[in-house]
């Protein structure tokens, strides 16, 4: 297992070999062979997960594990070099995929242990033919620089720099001369490129490469004509460009296959070449995946280990029919077999959240010089839901701020405290750093408001009252779709399904204004939206009243329904109402109280019972018990407060006393009294006993 990653052993382990060693054929960080799981055809592996779950970190670790041992390339499809620039990238002769192939080949060409550089003559000549279509108005220096960069792909020795520079000058001179005259520029460049290849074609491998484009459709067994047709198709755009790009991808893979052919290469090269593609949900990653899968489905084989990462679940084409596995299921074998469809050549591997043990190890590793409360790792896991980025930044905030915070400060203070991540930049609140990385920047404002909603209708009510007029129901639908595309889970009863992201958004809403005015406006809007006597509306209304600090209606409702509704329904309602967000106390004008805020705990322990006068005609004992129980659950389910063992004991006691009531389902209440305190201390969600979601939570708590 690698040092910097946790919960990803199924990918990196060496004994038994994880998924990566079985695909590449090498042990990580060693030039030692590992058995191949798929010796003939291997899957195109696509890691899927939402933001912050470590996709980029995994790809970075893979590059570090194999760099220098086998050819490795890593590209980030959101890098600026893959964004077209009109002044540098003529639209008719440049595409993100063509640029990606150039960058990938440059990295794969680097020498590795026991073997020299890999040459890419097929890709080189194809890229030059494509680039020549945009040199009509280019200056000599730009042409010379671009040609030299591509010519260097065709060399397996370091001395070739001088040759490349000399031939770059010749090609540039021919291109400029053709541009000035009426001669076909592309043909002149292709002719010069073929001459350069011929001059270097001393071996059979170079000769094969120089004639490879003879098989291009309608080339008539003429390589130069094939290159010219490739350039023409690329400039034409649309499906013609896709056809040309497919041949460029095929050229890259053919060059790699050639480099691994023969007895000498077999003895020198251990392990397959590895191509890593980050943020492949967009261009050029999407096109690269599609082209490779199409060729493999048509029987055009290659032996390149592709591992891409995409944001979300990738239910869209070209991966709709891919084989799907959780990372933990691939620990010893992937059980992948391609089907009849193109996308079945892909293996989608979802990255699960980290386990509570992983969280503990990360906090311990970061906070080596800081004494952390024993409950902090569990609280971190509960808050982040196992999100690796969230765990890492919270641990770093604890390292920087824990000693400076007052003893009475809640756990959530680590989110609002300043976090310095770069020495040359000022610190910012940790929750803002996290939101910048976990939420699309163009929708942060809208999501901050809509995070309090529960479904489409309540989100539309909030949008109508709290967002600009142009943000209507269709915009709400589009945002819902965007959240799913981003990989956030769809959870009934919550517009933003990811509990960690929702907590961060609500924290931003609370701190949006000094008087917390927007916070009150949003919850008051939802209180009005859920007006009505129906129980299905009451639970939502009471939830938002509790968020504004009005506890009386929630206590009265739960008291009055304790004997009239099914106990399971009553417990579900209690948990939902008491899951209302709570940050810190403020008065009626919205100004913060000074000092610690322990009001919920004081009420839960019964310290304020003497001040209470239950309404006339109600069971005073039941009223006070329900009041204490509501405040205990409200605090113990609060992700921004450390678990309190004494409060857990109090919760157990109150539920045990309720279970003594002969008119209630005492077995269910007794079971809750045993399970809820244990879950709260362990940082797990509180669930009604027998709830199927509880089993899901337990399964999600394990790391690979």
């Amino acid at each position: 297992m690698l040092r910097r990653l946790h919960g990803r052993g199924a990918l990196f382990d060496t004994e038994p070999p994880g998924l990566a060693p079985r695909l590449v054929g090498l042990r990580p960080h060693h030039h030692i062979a590992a058995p191949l799981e798929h010796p003939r055809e291997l899957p195109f592996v696509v890691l899927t997960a939402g933001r912050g779950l470590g996709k980029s970190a995994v790809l970075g670790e893979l590059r570090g594990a194999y760099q220098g041992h086998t050819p490795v390339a890593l590209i980030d499809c959101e890098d600026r070099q893959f964004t077209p620039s009109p002044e540098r990238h003529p639209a008719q002769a440049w595409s993100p995929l063509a640029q990606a192939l150039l960058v990938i080949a440059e990295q794969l060409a680097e020498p590795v242990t026991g073997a020299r550089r890999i040459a890419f003559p097929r890709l080189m000549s194809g890229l030059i033919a494509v680039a020549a279509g945009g040199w009509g108005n280019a200056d000599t220096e730009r042409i010379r620089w671009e040609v030299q960069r591509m010519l260097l792909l065709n060399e397996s020795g370091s001395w070739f720099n001088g040759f490349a520079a000399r031939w770059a000058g010749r090609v540039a001179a021919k291109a400029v001369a053709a541009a000035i005259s009426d001669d076909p520029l592309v043909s002149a460049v292709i002719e010069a490129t073929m001459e350069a290849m011929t001059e270097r074609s001393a071996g059979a491998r170079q000769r094969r490469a120089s004639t490879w484009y003879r098989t291009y459709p309608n080339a008539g067994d003429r390589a130069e004509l094939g290159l010219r047709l490739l350039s023409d198709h690329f400039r034409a755009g649309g499906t013609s460009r896709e056809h040309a790009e497919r041949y460029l991808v095929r050229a890259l893979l053919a060059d790699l296959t050639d480099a691994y052919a023969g007895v000498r290469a077999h003895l020198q090269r251990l392990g397959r070449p590895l191509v890593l593609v980050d943020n492949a949900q967009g261009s050029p990653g999407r096109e690269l995946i599609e082209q490779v899968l199409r060729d493999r489905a048509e029987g055009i084989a290659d032996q390149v280990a592709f591992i891409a990462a995409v944001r979300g679940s990738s239910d869209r084409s070209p991966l709709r029919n891919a084989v799907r596995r959780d990372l933990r299921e691939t620990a010893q074998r992937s059980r992948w077999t391609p089907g009849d469809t193109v996308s079945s050549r892909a293996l989608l591997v979802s990255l699960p959240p980290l386990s509570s043990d992983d969280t503990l190890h990360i906090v311990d590793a970061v906070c080596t010089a800081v004494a952390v409360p024993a409950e902090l790792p569990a609280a971190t896991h509960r808050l982040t839901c196992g999100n690796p980025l969230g765990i890492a930044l919270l641990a770093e905030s604890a390292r920087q701020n824990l000693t400076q915070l007052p003893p009475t400060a809640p756990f959530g203070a680590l989110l609002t405290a300043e976090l310095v991540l770069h020495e040359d930049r000022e610190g910012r609140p940790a929750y803002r750093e996290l939101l910048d990385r976990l939420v699309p920047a163009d929708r942060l404002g809208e999501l901050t408001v809509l995070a309090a909603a529960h479904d489409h209708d309540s989100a539309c009510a909030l949008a109508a009252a709290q967002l600009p007029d142009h943000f209507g129901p269709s915009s709400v639908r589009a945002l819902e779709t965007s959240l799913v595309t981003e990989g956030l889970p769809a959870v009934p009863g919550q517009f933003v399904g990811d509990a960690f992201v929702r907590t961060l958004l609500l924290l931003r809403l609370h701190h949006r204004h000094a008087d917390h005015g927007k916070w009150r406006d949003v919850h008051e809007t939802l209180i009005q939206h859920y007006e009505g006597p129906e129980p299905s509306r009451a639970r939502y209304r009471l939830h938002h009243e509790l968020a504004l600090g009005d506890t009386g209606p929630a206590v009265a409702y739960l008291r009055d329904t304790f004997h009239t509704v099914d106990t399971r329904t009553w417990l579900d309602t209690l948990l939902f109402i008491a899951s209302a967000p709570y940050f810190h106390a403020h008065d009626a004008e919205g100004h913060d109280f000074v000092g610690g805020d322990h009001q919920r705990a004081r009420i839960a322990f019964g310290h304020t019972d003497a001040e209470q006068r239950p309404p006339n005609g109600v069971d005073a004992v039941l009223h006070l018990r329900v009041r204490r129980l509501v405040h205990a659950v409200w605090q113990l389910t609060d992700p921004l407060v450390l678990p309190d063992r004494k409060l857990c004991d109090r919760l157990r006691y109150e539920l045990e006393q309720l279970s003594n009531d002969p008119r209630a389902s005492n077995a269910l209440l007794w079971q809750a009294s045993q399970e809820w305190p244990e879950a709260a201390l362990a940082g797990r969600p509180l669930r009604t006993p027998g709830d199927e979601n509880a089993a899901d939570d337990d399964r999600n708590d394990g790391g690979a």
Side-chain angles (χ1 to χ4, degrees), residues 131-460:
W135 287 341
N137 298 316
D139 59 81
T140 305
E141 285 306 312
R142 176 191 146 194
I143 297 173
R144 184 195 303 274
W145 181 84
E146 291 186 9
V147 170
Q148 181 169 343
R149 182 179 181 184
M150 288 180 274
L151 280 172
L152 285 171
L153 295 179
N154 188 31
E155 180 47 35
S156 56
S158 59
W159 62 269
F160 184 64
N161 284 329
F163 175 82
R166 184 170 69 255
W167 269 102
R170 294 187 191 181
V171 174
K174 285 202 173 190
V176 171
I180 295 174
S181 66
D182 294 329
D183 296 335
L185 184 150
V186 174
S187 296
V189 171
I190 291 173
E191 179 183 349
T193 303
M194 298 303 291
E195 289 177 10
M197 291 183 68
T198 303
E199 183 170 317
R200 290 282 298 132
S201 296
R205 184 171 296 173
Q206 282 284 341
R207 287 194 297 273
R208 287 197 304 269
S210 66
T211 60
W212 190 73
Y213 284 96
R214 289 178 178 178
T215 60
Y216 194 87
N218 298 317
D221 203 36
R222 295 167 55 196
E224 291 187 21
L225 177 57
L227 284 168
R228 191 161 68 247
L229 289 170
L230 174 78
S231 181
D232 291 343
H233 288 150
F234 195 95
R235 288 200 307 276
T239 56
S240 296
R241 174 170 289 189
E242 292 176 9
H243 178 79
E245 288 180 331
R246 187 176 182 187
Y247 270 79
L248 291 176
V249 174
R250 194 176 292 175
L252 170 78
L253 298 179
D255 285 331
L256 285 170
T257 300
D258 217 17
Y260 275 73
V263 176
R264 182 178 179 182
H266 180 73
L267 294 174
Q268 289 181 334
R269 297 190 181 277
L270 292 179
R272 289 165 165 154
L274 176 61
V275 176
L276 308 166
V277 186
D278 201 5
N279 289 304
Q281 67 276 355
S283 185
R286 183 178 60 250
E287 295 88 349
L288 178 61
I289 293 173
E290 187 170 6
Q291 303 290 18
V292 173
L293 293 181
R294 285 179 61 189
D295 270 5
R296 288 181 175 180
E298 293 180 11
I300 302 175
D302 67 83
Q303 286 293 301
V304 180
F306 283 96
I307 301 181
V310 300
R311 192 180 306 136
S313 59
S314 292
D315 293 327
R316 305 176 305 280
S317 180
L319 299 171
R320 185 178 294 113
N321 298 314
V323 177
R324 297 172 186 271
R325 299 281 183 268
D326 183 275
L327 177 63
R328 292 164 291 199
E329 298 176 305
T330 68
Q332 298 187 23
R333 59 190 182 94
S334 66
R335 296 178 292 109
W336 171 84
T337 302
D340 297 330
T341 61
V342 172
S343 59
S344 70
R345 260 67 192 176
L347 172 64
L348 265 60
V349 179
S350 59
L351 296 182
L354 299 186
S355 71
S356 54
D357 286 345
D358 296 324
T359 304
L360 172 65
H361 297 323
I362 293 173
V363 173
D364 285 347
V366 174
C367 300
T368 53
V370 179
V372 299
E375 301 84 7
L376 190 138
T380 299
H381 186 72
R382 178 181 63 176
L383 170 63
T384 62
C385 305
N387 183 290
L389 175 65
I391 296 168
L393 291 193
L394 261 170
E396 179 60 23
S397 181
R399 187 188 70 82
Q400 294 183 21
N401 298 300
L402 206 54
T403 57
Q404 304 172 31
L405 292 172
T408 57
F411 171 63
L414 294 178
L415 286 174
T416 55
E418 297 288 304
L419 179 62
V420 179
L421 297 178
H422 305 280
E423 292 182 359
D424 57 342
R425 300 182 193 173
E426 294 183 358
R428 295 200 305 159
Y431 78 89
R432 290 178 55 186
E433 289 284 353
L434 285 163
L435 283 174
D436 282 352
R437 306 188 194 193
L438 296 176
V439 173
D442 60 336
R443 286 304 183 208
L444 178 58
E446 292 87 350
L447 278 173
T448 298
V449 171
L450 299 184
H454 303 281
D455 54 19
H456 176 76
D457 289 342
S458 58
C460 287

Side-chain angles (χ1 to χ4, degrees), residues 108-124:
L108 292 174
E110 293 301 317
V112 298
T113 301
R116 59 181 184 171
R117 288 172 56 90
I118 293 177
F120 293 90
R122 297 168 180 82
L123 179 62
M124 176 272 294

